[in-house]
């Protein structure tokens, strides 16, 4: 019961706009992401620093949030997997896995202020 309550709490805090910053082996990550919940699924888009938008899927399990989207590096298609944990402030922090390059990095994500 507690695990499902934690998952529901994390799911309800994920939808919205997020600013994602990080680093993958010296390459900066700067993205703005927008996630929406439709029934039991969360999805949205992430826009990178060059203005390219990628469809994004989101999985929530307790305080762990995983979001995945495509990318490109020097003409090669990539899959970026962000695996983070929600802290008490509602911020995410964790690791980035970049395939097929088999490189990794770290990220933090903060929810945009509601106006």
């Amino acid at each position: 019961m507690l695990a499902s309550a934690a998952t529901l709490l994390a799911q309800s805090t994920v939808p919205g706009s997020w600013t994602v910053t990080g680093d993958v082996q010296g390459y900066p990550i700067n993205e703005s992401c927008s996630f929406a919940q439709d029934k039991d699924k969360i999805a949205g888009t992430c826009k990178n620093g060059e203005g390219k938008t990628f469809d994004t899927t989101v999985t929530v399990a307790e305080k762990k949030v995983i979001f995945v989207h495509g990318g490109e590096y020097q003409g090669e298609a990539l899959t970026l997997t962000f695996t983070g944990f929600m802290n008490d402030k509602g911020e995410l922090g964790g690791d980035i896995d970049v395939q097929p390059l088999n490189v990794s990095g770290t990220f933090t994500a903060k929810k945009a202020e509601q106006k």
Side-chain angles (χ1 to χ4, degrees), residues 19-31 82 94-96 104-109:
T19 300
V20 181
T21 57
D23 179 88
V24 175
Q25 297 194 340
Y27 292 94
I29 301 293
N30 293 298
E31 297 187 347
F82 297 76
D95 299 314
I96 308 168
S104 61
T106 59
F107 80 97
T108 58

Side-chain angles (χ1 to χ4, degrees), residues 15 18 36-37 42 48 58 61 65 70 94 109:
W18 292 81
Q37 186 160 2
I42 301 173
N48 67 15
V58 181
V65 178

Side-chain angles (χ1 to χ4, degrees), residues 64-81:
K64 181 161 82 171
V65 178
I66 301 168
F67 58 102
V68 180
H69 64 71
E72 185 179 298
Y73 178 71
Q74 297 181 343
E76 184 174 1
L78 304 176
T79 299
L80 287 81
T81 302

